[in-house]
Each structure stands twice: as structure tokens, then as C-alpha cells.
Amino acid sequence: MRWHRQSVAAMILMTPLIVPALAMTQGAVTATLSVLAAPVERIAGDAGAGEPGVSGMNLAEGDRVRTGAGGVALITFLDGSTVTLLSETEVTVKQAPTGRAKAAGVRMLIHAGRVWARVVQAAGSRSTLTLESNDYSATAHDGLIGAEQAAGTFVCWTRRGALWLTDKSGQTDTVLVAAGQRARARFGMPVNSEPFVASASTLEIRTTGPVVPLVRMPDGSRAAGFLAPDVEVNQVFGSLTEAKGGRRWLVEVPGGHEGPYTLILTGTDAGPFTARISARYVGFSAYRQEIRGEVRPGERLFTRITQTVKGQDPLTARAVKASVDGLRAWDASEPAAVVASPDPAPGPALS
């Protein structure tokens, strides 16, 4: 199998490089499974029983993936789009692009639980990603979206990009959900959009200069940000990752944990940079700090952000202040594990 450098999704983990398992024929492969936290189970479309999920395991249309209590899984599709399955979630890959069929897009049925997706719109492609329940479908052409199915209610969110919510019976018009909103849908009832807030506290990183930022969450398994200007990672529910132009970058993640949050800065060129670290609680500023430095191309620096928070529930806890370690060179004791999406087209192999 070959790997396409432009469709790389990456995360910082204390694990070795993930290698794909060629469990199926090349033509059947539509996506790759990565286990961010166990337990994760894969049920093949033609099998009744499941098997433990393994990072690098290939997926085909009709396959189901299930996460248990505390489990988190990442599904990476051929077009580079990724879907993160949170704890106690079960989905089925209904349709996924293979070979020349990339324009068909990805369709995923959510049986139960919550997912978060990074939708990639490749140049010249008409691909989409659709998250479905039995009654509704939420479709995006690009951006950061999520959906949840529970107790007969379908909820969808978008942090970046528009989302089209459609009643699958065809009896109601499509609802356009704008960036920063969510919609709650229950069959037979009106659908209304409202502001989307992932948690009461938010941690924000803004960088200026020749670096791109990546934030690893305190659980050590999920990350959001960039490894290069064209390599975006977003596995954290409700997070926002944006290129602001002029060598400016933004990463925003839920900030209700004490930490430590790990901030990794990767040099894109030589020169000075600034990283502004701040937190908000229900929209009000909690603290601000700034770090400055110089970097060389390809150099990777990191720091850890440890917060003081009030409250036990990360969804409602209040970030009060934070201590930020000094910048250090990223060391080999915490290697970067790269999850790349399979690409049937010839291209350079990543090793």
C-alpha cells in the first residue's frame, strides 16, 4: 500500500509509528482504523461477531466500529477526511470513496453515540461527508462537524463550514446550520439552530511567525492543530483549527481540564515567532500568557500548560489561571505517531 503525503492526519502519542494491516484486498479498502484509546471493536460487514480493533486495521463499506466505555477510535478515509468516535459509540461505514469514485463522498450511519469529523475538500473533488441517523442526515463539503444519536434525537454541530440537515422522509426542507451552531432534530418536530459551545472553558492558542501549533489533550490520545501548513489534525470534539493567513494560526480546544495540555510548535521556516496562550470562561477572559522564541525549518519545540480550574466536570469547570513551562526541544522519548490515509494513486511512501 502507498501513502499520500498531502492527506496525512497526525497525532502526538507515546506510541511507535502506526503501520497499516493489509487484512483485505486493495480494492476493498475504504478507510483505516486507529485506536486512540481501548476498547474498540470492529465488526466486518459479513460477520456476526466482532474482533478487537487494532491501529492500522483496514475498513470496508458495511463494516461497523464500536467503542466501549472510555474507548476512542479514529477512522481515516481515502480522501483524508477523519471521523473520531467518542466513548460508547457505534457506527457503520455505508459508503466511502474508492479509486475513481471519490466524488461519491462518505456516508456514515450513527447507531448510537457521538462523533467528530474533519471534512477534507480536495482540489477538483466533489466529495462530501454525511453523518446519518435513521431519520436525518447531516452533510458537509468541508470543515469541522459532529453529530450524536441518542434516545430518538439527532444532534449535529459545526465549528467550521456549513452543514445541511435533511429529514430523510423528504417531508421537511433542508436546514442550513452555519459555522458555530448546532441543531437538535426529533422526527415530527420543528428543527431550530442555536449557538454551539463545547464546554464552558476554552483554551486558545494563536501563533504568529514561522511555526504551526498542535495541542495534545491531557488524556494523551487526542490532538488538534497542525504538523505543517498543509497537514491539519482535528480529533477533539468541539475544537477549532484554522489558518488565519499571513503565517498566523489558531487552535481552540475545550479547556475544562487541569492538564497538562501539550503545545507542540513545528518550524516552517527560520525566524522569530510568538505564541499567545489564553483561556475563556463562558466568553470572559480567564488568563493570557505569551511565549516568544526562534525556530529553524523542521525544528519542533514544546511546552506544557497546566491549569487551575474550579469544578470537577470538565464541561462546566472554570479555568482560572495556568502555569506554562519553558520551551524545550521535542525529545525522542515522546515520538510523533503519524496516521496516514491510504491512497490508491502512486505516490511517495512514508516510512
Side-chain angles (χ1 to χ4, degrees):
M1 179 180 295
R2 310 295 288 178
W3 299 86
H4 186 46
R5 188 178 299 271
Q6 296 302 316
S7 60
V8 172
M11 59 187 168
I12 300 300
L13 293 170
M14 296 180 67
T15 58
L17 183 68
I18 296 174
V19 179
L22 294 178
M24 296 177 286
T25 63
Q26 177 71 29
V29 176
T30 62
T32 303
L33 176 68
S34 301
V35 178
L36 304 189
V40 175
E41 186 179 38
R42 167 184 170 263
I43 305 97
D46 57 357
E51 59 180 324
V54 178
S55 289
M57 180 177 281
N58 291 327
L59 300 175
E61 287 187 30
D63 284 0
R64 284 184 290 159
V65 178
R66 178 190 299 147
T67 59
V72 182
L74 178 74
I75 298 176
T76 304
F77 290 93
L78 297 178
D79 65 355
S81 296
T82 60
V83 178
T84 304
L85 280 60
L86 279 68
S87 175
E88 299 182 292
T89 293
E90 182 175 349
V91 304
T92 293
V93 179
K94 293 187 62 178
Q95 177 182 321
T98 56
R100 298 180 179 179
K102 290 186 178 182
V106 176
R107 302 183 73 88
M108 178 173 287
L109 175 63
I110 306 172
H111 301 283
R114 179 182 294 184
V115 305
W116 183 250
R118 180 179 62 90
V119 188
V120 173
Q121 183 64 64
S125 171
R126 303 189 306 276
S127 61
T128 60
L129 190 148
T130 300
L131 305 174
E132 301 180 356
S133 69
N134 289 329
D135 296 322
Y136 289 92
S137 62
T139 301
H141 294 280
D142 55 39
L144 301 168
I145 67 171
E148 179 180 30
Q149 170 67 21
T153 300
F154 183 75
V155 186
C156 57
W157 305 265
T158 172
R159 285 298 318 265
R160 195 182 75 212
L163 188 62
W164 285 264
L165 176 65
T166 303
D167 181 342
K168 295 177 71 173
S169 72
Q171 296 178 1
T172 61
D173 294 333
T174 299
V175 176
L176 175 62
V177 184
Q181 291 187 319
R182 74 171 181 176
R184 184 182 300 272
R186 193 173 182 88
F187 191 74
M189 301 182 67
V191 178
N192 297 311
S193 297
E194 60 188 24
F196 169 47
V197 179
S199 64
S201 292
T202 302
L203 175 64
E204 179 184 278
I205 309 295
R206 291 182 180 268
T207 63
T208 304
V211 293
V212 290
L214 181 79
V215 176
R216 186 177 69 180
M217 298 297 285
D219 62 13
S221 64
R222 297 166 299 142
F226 302 86
L227 280 184
D230 58 350
V231 182
E232 180 184 3
V233 182
N234 195 306
Q235 305 159 353
V236 182
F237 178 82
S239 60
L240 178 63
T241 44
E242 279 191 324
K244 307 299 287 186
R247 299 202 301 183
R248 295 179 299 124
W249 304 85
L250 167 67
V251 179
E252 188 179 282
V253 297
H257 296 273
E258 289 188 345
Y261 295 81
T262 304
L263 170 62
I264 301 100
L265 302 170
T266 300
T268 60
D269 203 347
F273 67 85
T274 300
R276 295 178 175 85
I277 302 167
S278 62
R280 299 189 304 275
Y281 175 70
V282 295
F284 293 95
S285 177
Y287 65 80
R288 292 183 181 179
Q289 296 197 40
E290 185 175 287
I291 53 178
R292 297 175 179 268
E294 291 202 11
V295 70
R296 299 184 300 273
E299 183 179 12
R300 178 168 289 173
L301 306 173
F302 82 103
T303 184
R304 289 193 172 88
I305 304 164
T306 304
Q307 297 188 133
T308 299
V309 302
K310 291 185 177 180
Q312 299 297 318
D313 186 350
L315 295 178
T316 58
R318 178 178 182 177
V320 178
K321 59 182 179 180
S323 63
V324 180
D325 296 347
L327 283 172
R328 291 181 285 163
W330 186 254
D331 57 59
S333 66
E334 296 182 283
V338 178
V339 180
S341 64
D343 190 327
L350 292 183
S351 58

